[in-house]
Structure formats: structure tokens, C-alpha cells
Amino acid sequence: MTSKIAIIAGVGPGTGASIARKFAKAYSVVVLARNPDNYNGVVQAIKASGGQAIGIQADVSDSKSINAAFDQIEAQYPSSNVAAAVFNPGGGFVRKPFLELTEEDYATALASQAQGAFNFAKRSLPLLLKARESAEYPPTLIFTGATASVKGSANFAAFASGKFALRALAQSLAREFGPQGVHVSHTIIDGVIDIERTKGFKFDHPDAKLSPDAIADSYWHLHTQPRTTFAFEMDLRPYVEKW
Amino acid sequence: MTSKIAIIAGVGPGTGASIARKFAKAYSVVVLARNPDNYNGVVQAIKASGGQAIGIQADVSDSKSINAAFDQIEAQYPSSNVAAAVFNPGGGFVRKPFLELTEEDYATALASQAQGAFNFAKRSLPLLLKARESAEYPPTLIFTGATASVKGSANFAAFASGKFALRALAQSLAREFGPQGVHVSHTIIDGVIDIERTKGFKFDHPDAKLSPDAIADSYWHLHTQPRTTFAFEMDLRPYVEKW
Amino acid sequence: MTSKIAIIAGVGPGTGASIARKFAKAYSVVVLARNPDNYNGVVQAIKASGGQAIGIQADVSDSKSINAAFDQIEAQYPSSNVAAAVFNPGGGFVRKPFLELTEEDYATALASQAQGAFNFAKRSLPLLLKARESAEYPPTLIFTGATASVKGSANFAAFASGKFALRALAQSLAREFGPQGVHVSHTIIDGVIDIERTKGFKFDHPDAKLSPDAIADSYWHLHTQPRTTFAFEMDLRPYVEKW
Amino acid sequence: MTSKIAIIAGVGPGTGASIARKFAKAYSVVVLARNPDNYNGVVQAIKASGGQAIGIQADVSDSKSINAAFDQIEAQYPSSNVAAAVFNPGGGFVRKPFLELTEEDYATALASQAQGAFNFAKRSLPLLLKARESAEYPPTLIFTGATASVKGSANFAAFASGKFALRALAQSLAREFGPQGVHVSHTIIDGVIDIERTKGFKFDHPDAKLSPDAIADSYWHLHTQPRTTFAFEMDLRPYVEKW
């Protein structure tokens, strides 16, 4: 088997699942999440529609767990090339007055978003470098950011610290690995995503939540850019979002 | 005739022509430039491949000229909807030590990039607003920026002033017209574009220049985003570009 | 007479007057404004408290006017050194929906903030370069920015374009003239300034408006920084300001 | 004893010592460092010149250590008010190609810069809030940033992640505690600091290194700003620094 694969970390019912479905049209997808319940649905859906997908239970913030997941990927797809890797975990979100924030709240945000991204990048990048020769599109590593990636709002000290750190990592990797032919990108998802969990969030206007499928289309667009014309960063928000 | 049109201002041999060709696959295109020699080739090429295109001589920095061009567009396409408008003129570029920069150098950069964008937006936006109902994709207004849009380098006082001002205009319009359903975007083209004029620019690496066609693909991607998921800004650069 | 002078353009009842008073403790000050009524009070106040000050009527957006003012300064202070120059005019402020903004509104904002700053810098910089040898502090050129220097809000297309352009100019000059020993800075005044005109603006909290005297203290601090340790940018806002 | 104190974490031979000396002119200073050798000199120097200073061994990245240090401060200065707290540790700096960076390198940068700042802020802020009533200047919390606070350069993935996270924390605290009357600031130290360790770094120009004493002057200036006119951020660099 010499097919190409895409690895997506942080697959729940929203953006991660949409990205998996989108990339599954071209590649075998491997989806990672702490809780298999989060990816079982999308893995089955992809298979049902003729695609290839597997899920691996993994916690990005734990290097042993992420290393075990990548060991399994390398064993299971020994002749495959990694066309794309997407870091999309939502862990570490917490909104609290600073003096109520615990040491663990803060550490968790850093562990999920920053150390987790480090762990994921450490194992992804050697595979992406290896895949350059046979790639139709430059091998791509995309990190999912948020409003908190560029603005440290009141009550968001922990999450913003994690997301700022993640953006720093993404910038540094883009500057180091871009010239080597790996496309590293960072997105800023600025708004509420339209998923089951946010059904109850009501807005004055229709279409006020981000579409996970439209986010996935933009990730795919980033992936298809040639090395002459790499985007590092794209901000995505609903038309009525204040910014 | 009820076809849809795209209006592209600033069409020379590079990005503007690629954007025109790309959008001509879906729309009739109207291209504007100060010098018809700049657009004659692309207008003929689009027609030769079965598309529809006209060129109109216009100087964006002169409101009379840009108003005459839009009057002609409205007369010639009375029942058409404007699906997209792209502001892409290159005028005002000058690289000089500040004390050698003339008052006119500076005024020209502001006139081309800022006042020109104002003139273009004033006539485009009412047409884009009118086109919302029948649009497949949200009507789109894209402004082309540059490295100088976000960094005022030494010897670039004039061009950076024009490009910073253009970005301010784009941000303000995105915040005002986004909620009304018009997608306003700004791109940051960070590097040398691969066109006839830059043939002589040699780099240590292959593919070190931006592909105009790849830029056009990203403009088209921006255009196709639904209003749930608008990007305001995308930076585009060759993989080896320092940033 | 070999005293040192400070030139402040844009002196009305607020920040400009406070800067003039602050710098008058060390230097002879020359204040410029379109309307002498704006500076007569501060000129008299400085003289009354033992300082030296003159006012010159000048419109920064008109190069002839600004050149005449600098010709007068050079004639009147032939042996003086220019220790500092501050660009602080408020012209070009307008808040309107974009489609109501006139071509002239937009042009005026660019002329006041961008072309005006160009005109002022063209005449100031040769004097600041000349003053390096005898300077106690590095000769300093400070530009006054605003919230609109870094954010293009809805209804602020004109003013933000002017202020973004001004910031571009300031950055470019800092990068060109910093290495030559002239300290170029830009401030971001983010909030309502406490002056006569804003007396009626009520806030829920006390001290919710910027103090012109405190702004002037920060300008003086920038001026006194040695060349080892130049600040380019400082943002100033009331403690309760949202940002 | 009802004197006011300033607490400075991260005191070595450079910026920290200069800040301690500067603030010791007005306050008793408490300096924290992992290694007492780093602060013994400055504590003695302050005492020798008539000031008051104590050093406490503490590792900011270890909450037990930092809590013990603050317990000691509160015991030793039961009636004192904390006028200022400065977070200035240099830990976590590492420059390596990403694939050579260890998990521990990355974790250390986050622990020193981000979690350390969290630990320090958790204990400082209640004291700063308490000090508001009797303060001459608004109680002040300053965090020291670097070039890597706003740019993720190649080979700086770890340090930039830590410094970006620290800036996020500072922004969030400024937005939460500013309106409560505590002045939270962040500086961007962009260049080589002129200390013993950098003696060997040669530049083409004189004065090409940042002066620790001039940095301290700017920290003091930030401290003295009234709540009407708070700066959040100031970038400091030598006149010849590229940026």
C-alpha cells in the first residue's frame, strides 16, 4: 500500500471531523482524540462513503501517548506518505477571573495547546519532510488558532497563553521548514463554531456561527498552495462577528 | 443579459491578468488599467478561450476617470450583477532615501493606493450590495496588499504609507460591509512576483518567486467562502522568503 | 543665541499645549497651528512662567505653508539646535458610514495626517541630523497616533487611512534615521483626551480620560532615552479603556 | 515599618539589578533569583548606598518556591505596601533547530516564562490591589518581553512560545486589573543587553547594546504613569538594531 495519509489530531464533532471528511476525499485519514467517542462517528462515516479512516486514542499533551500513536501510524502505513498533518485539539479552554484560575488550569492550557503541539510537530515533521518527493502538493502542517491567539482578553489568561504559544511555535516552524518545502500554516478561528454543543447559542443574525465544513475547505485550500505561494496565516470569522 | 461580472482594477502582465483569467471561468470580466497595452493581451486571451472580457482605460487615482469607467460598466451591463471587485494597481512604488523622496513621490503613492482604493470602493460597493440576492457566493471586494502593508521599511516611506492606508480602508470596509453580506478581504503579497519584468531577478533557490496563477487561486478561494466563514486577511509568500 | 529649540506642530488646547509646556522647561519652543487662536494661550503661558515660545501660523498639509514656517524658524534661530520635533495635528478626523464619506473627506485625512507628516519630517530631519553633535539627548522626532493607527474600525475609513499611513511613515523613518542617531517614535493615544471640548463626555468611572500633561511626560521620557535604548512605540490609554 | 516595597523576580547582573537599583531609590526592594550569587552583589550595593534590599532564593517556575518567597515577604514586611512587582527572569532561552529541541527544552521555556509569570502574578496581584489606597503611583506589575515575544523566528520555537505566552498573560492581566487600578505593562527588549556576559559580542557601531540602566529608567517611567494614562507596551532597542 502506497497511498497517502493525513493525520488530524483533535477530532471531535466539529472542525476536526469536517477536516477529516474533506481530506478523506484524497487521502487515508488517521484521526486522534483522547476519547474514541469523539472520532468513532467520523471514522464510520468516512468508511461508509468509500473512504479510508482509522482512529487512534491519544492525548497530545502526553508525549508517550502521542509517540505511541505515531509508532502505530508508522507500523500500519509503512509505505505511505504523510501529505498533511493538522493540529486541532480544543483542550485547555477556561474562562475565569485570574485570581480564581488554578495553577492546574494554567498548566493544562499550556500542556494542551503548546506542549501538545510540540509533541505533535516533533513526530509529524520528519514524516512530512520524507513525503516531499512524491507529494502532489507540498506536505502541510496546519495549526488551529483562535481569537485568543492574537488577543489576551480579560479572563482568558490561561487559554490565550496556550494559543499565543502555539502561534509562536507555528511561526518558528514555518520559518524553519518552509524553506525545506514543508508548508506550515496557522489559522485564527474567530467566532463560535456551529456544532451540536453550540446549538443553544443564539444570535440576532442568521449564519452567525462558523461552518466547520467551510473551515475545512480553507484548510484544504492551504494544503493545495504551491511552494511559490504559501499562506502562513488566515483568519476566519462569521460576517457579523465583531473584531 | 443577466450574467455576472467581475471587475478588476490594475491589470498588467502579472497578478491582475491571472485574476482576470481565473474569474473569467465563471464571470464576464471587466479589466481596468491606465494603459490599454496592459490589458489588451489578457482580454484577447480570455475571449480566445471562450470567455467574456472587456478592458476600460481608467486611472484609479482620478475619480473622474474611475467614475467614467463605472458609468460605462453600468451602461454596458445593465442587468448584470457584480460578483467580485478586485483592487490591484501597482502604482506608487518608489524606493528612495527619505530626504530624496519628493513631495510628488509621496503624494503619488497615497493617490494610487489609498485615494485610488477609495474611488474604486465607492463605486464597487453599491453594486456589490445590489448583487447580494442573486449571488452564488457572497459578493466580494479584495484589495491587494504587500510586505509594505504591515512593515514600514527604511526607504519605503511613500509606498508603505500608501499600503498601510489601503489596509486601514480594507479593515474599515470589512467591519462595515461584512455584516451587510459583502466579503471584504485584504491580501499581503510578500515577495517578488514571477512576471516578465522580474525575469532577471535571480535567487539561490528555484520557485523563489510568487506564482500569479497561485495568487489568483487564493483570490478565488476567498471569493467562494460563505458568509459564515469569511477570511479578512491572507499573507502569501514563496517558501524561501524571509519574513 | 545658541539655545536649543523644540518644534511642535498641531498645538491646540490639549496634548500639543501640554507638550509645549513640558518641553519649554528645557528648550525654546516653536508651536505651529493653522489657527493662531489655538496657540496664543500656551505661548503666553510659557512666557509668563519664564520660558521662551513663539507661535507660527502654518498648515502642515500645505508644503508651501510648512516650508515658510521652517524658513522663519531657521532665520529666527540661526545658531540654535533642534532638540525635538513633534507632529501632533488632529486634522482629518471624520466618522461616517463609508457611502456618505466624500472624496474630500478622505483626501483631507490623508493630507492632514500623512502628507502633513511628510512635509513636517522633510524639514525637521535635516535640522535634527545637524543637532546630533551638541545634543544632550538624541534629537527626537515624535508622531502622535491614535486607536485608528492600528485598527480600521467601521465608519473610520478616512481617519484610519491617514493614521495608518502616518505610522508607516514613522516606522520607515525610525528604521532609516535611528541608525543615524535620530530617535523617531510613534505613540498610540487610545482614548478620549481630557480637554475643554470633551468636558461633556461622561464615563461611569473617574479619570476615564487621558491627561494631556501625562501624555507630555511620556513624550519627554521618549526624548530622554539614550541611543542604546530607543522606544519606537508606546500605547497610552486610560485604565478603564476597552482595547 | 510602613515603607513601600518593590519585588523584582529574575535579578542577575543585568536588567534586574539595574531595575532593583532604580526602584531602591524610592522603595525597599526584594529581589528574587534561583541563585543567590546573582543578587548578592546588587543587594550589597543598594545597602551600601543607603537603600534597603533583601534577596530571597526562589525559582519562579516552581509554585512552592515562589509561594515560600512571598510568604517570607509578607512576614517580613507585614505593614508594607507593594508599590511595584517586576517579572524579569531569563530562563528558558534556547536556540536550536526544532528537531534537536528536546521535550524538556520546550517544557522549560514554558515553565520559566509562562508558568513562572503565572506563579508570580498570582501572589503579586493581591498585594498590588491592597496597595492601591496608599499608593503615590498606581501599583504596577511589569513583565519583561523580548524580540521573541512578537516574532517566532526559526530555531526559537521554545523561547518564543514561552515569551508569546507571557505576553498573552500580560495582556489579559492588563485588561482585567487595569480597570481595578493596577498598572500592568509589558516591555519588548529587542537587542543584546550590555552586560558582562555579552562583553564579547562585537558590533560595527558603538552603543549597539541596550543599557540596563536605561531600561530601568523606562520601567520607572511606566511605574509613575497615572491611571489616566497607562502604557501597556513599550519596545526598546539600540539605535542600530534591525527590526
Side-chain angles (χ1 to χ4, degrees), chain D:
Chain D
M1 190 165 99
T2 59
S3 68
K4 286 168 185 161
I5 64 172
I7 305 168
I8 298 135
V11 170
T15 313
S18 289
I19 296 168
R21 281 195 302 270
K22 180 74 186 181
F23 281 68
K25 291 178 184 165
Y27 308 124
S28 292
V29 301
V30 180
V31 296
L32 311 180
R34 270 185 303 186
N35 183 350
D37 291 347
N38 283 341
Y39 58 64
N40 283 333
V42 71
V43 167
Q44 285 160 20
I46 289 169
K47 285 176 173 171
S49 63
Q52 291 185 309
I54 63 164
I56 301 175
Q57 187 175 1
D59 177 354
V60 291
S61 67
D62 174 356
S63 64
K64 279 184 197 137
S65 172
I66 205 74
N67 283 334
F70 273 85
D71 288 346
Q72 181 181 336
I73 293 169
E74 293 183 21
Q76 202 154 343
Y77 299 91
S79 316
S80 292
N81 286 305
V82 177
V86 176
F87 182 81
N88 185 59
F93 183 87
V94 54
R95 181 180 190 159
K96 276 187 195 175
F98 181 72
L99 296 176
E100 294 174 21
L101 204 62
T102 67
E103 190 182 349
E104 202 187 331
D105 286 333
Y106 194 79
T108 298
L110 293 180
S112 303
Q113 295 294 332
Q115 196 79 39
F118 173 87
N119 294 335
F120 184 76
K122 280 292 266 191
R123 292 302 298 261
S124 300
L125 279 163
L127 301 175
L128 293 163
L129 288 167
K130 210 173 65 179
R132 284 171 297 175
E133 288 310 304
S134 63
E136 182 180 359
Y137 306 116
T140 306
L141 175 57
I142 305 179
F143 296 94
T144 300
T147 317
S149 302
V150 288
K151 184 171 183 181
S153 296
N155 302 322
F156 281 89
F159 190 60
S161 293
K163 282 297 192 188
F164 269 58
L166 171 60
R167 186 168 179 253
L169 176 68
Q171 279 189 8
S172 182
L173 297 180
R175 289 187 170 103
E176 183 176 351
F177 292 94
Q180 297 178 52
V182 174
H183 185 184
V184 180
S185 277
H186 179 260
T187 61
I188 297 170
I189 309 298
D190 180 23
V192 173
I193 300 174
D194 189 11
I195 53 175
E196 192 59 36
R197 188 173 54 75
T198 62
K199 272 259 164 70
F201 297 20
K202 298 297 180 195
F203 291 88
D204 291 342
H205 297 83
D207 292 345
K209 296 177 201 164
L210 285 145
S211 152
D213 284 350
I215 294 173
D217 287 344
S218 286
Y219 279 49
W220 181 257
H221 175 68
L222 291 171
H223 174 50
T224 62
Q225 291 180 319
R227 67 179 180 174
T228 55
T229 313
F230 279 169
F232 171 66
E233 198 154 72
M234 194 195 279
D235 54 340
L236 295 169
R237 63 178 62 83
Y239 71 119
V240 290
E241 186 73 20
K242 296 277 180 208
W243 57 288

Side-chain angles (χ1 to χ4, degrees), chain B:
Chain B
M1 191 165 100
T2 59
S3 68
K4 287 167 185 161
I5 63 172
I7 305 169
I8 299 134
V11 170
T15 313
S18 289
I19 296 168
R21 281 195 303 270
K22 181 74 185 180
F23 281 68
K25 291 177 184 166
Y27 307 125
S28 291
V29 300
V30 179
V31 296
L32 311 180
R34 270 185 303 187
N35 182 350
D37 290 347
N38 283 342
Y39 58 64
N40 283 334
V42 71
V43 166
Q44 285 160 19
I46 288 169
K47 286 177 173 171
S49 63
Q52 292 185 308
I54 62 163
I56 301 176
Q57 188 174 359
D59 177 354
V60 292
S61 67
D62 173 356
S63 63
K64 279 185 197 138
S65 171
I66 205 74
N67 283 334
F70 274 85
D71 288 347
Q72 180 181 336
I73 293 169
E74 292 183 21
Q76 201 155 345
Y77 299 91
S79 318
S80 293
N81 285 304
V82 177
V86 177
F87 182 81
N88 185 59
F93 183 86
V94 55
R95 181 180 191 158
K96 277 187 193 174
F98 181 71
L99 295 177
E100 295 175 21
L101 205 61
T102 66
E103 190 183 349
E104 201 187 331
D105 286 333
Y106 194 79
T108 298
L110 294 180
S112 302
Q113 296 294 333
Q115 195 79 39
F118 173 87
N119 293 335
F120 184 75
K122 281 291 266 191
R123 292 301 300 260
S124 299
L125 279 163
L127 301 174
L128 293 163
L129 288 168
K130 209 173 67 178
R132 283 172 298 175
E133 287 310 303
S134 63
E136 182 180 0
Y137 306 115
T140 305
L141 174 58
I142 306 178
F143 296 94
T144 300
T147 317
S149 302
V150 288
K151 183 172 184 180
S153 297
N155 302 321
F156 281 90
F159 191 59
S161 293
K163 282 296 193 188
F164 269 56
L166 171 61
R167 188 168 177 250
L169 175 69
Q171 279 190 8
S172 182
L173 296 180
R175 289 186 170 102
E176 182 175 351
F177 292 94
Q180 298 179 52
V182 173
H183 185 186
V184 180
S185 278
H186 178 259
T187 61
I188 297 170
I189 309 298
D190 180 24
V192 172
I193 302 175
D194 190 12
I195 54 174
E196 192 61 36
R197 186 174 55 76
T198 62
K199 272 258 163 73
F201 296 18
K202 298 297 180 194
F203 291 89
D204 291 342
H205 296 85
D207 292 345
K209 296 176 201 165
L210 286 146
S211 153
D213 284 351
I215 295 173
D217 287 344
S218 286
Y219 279 49
W220 181 256
H221 176 67
L222 291 171
H223 174 51
T224 63
Q225 292 180 318
R227 66 180 181 173
T228 57
T229 313
F230 279 168
F232 171 64
E233 197 154 73
M234 192 195 281
D235 54 340
L236 295 169
R237 62 178 62 82
Y239 70 122
V240 289
E241 186 73 20
K242 296 278 180 209
W243 56 290

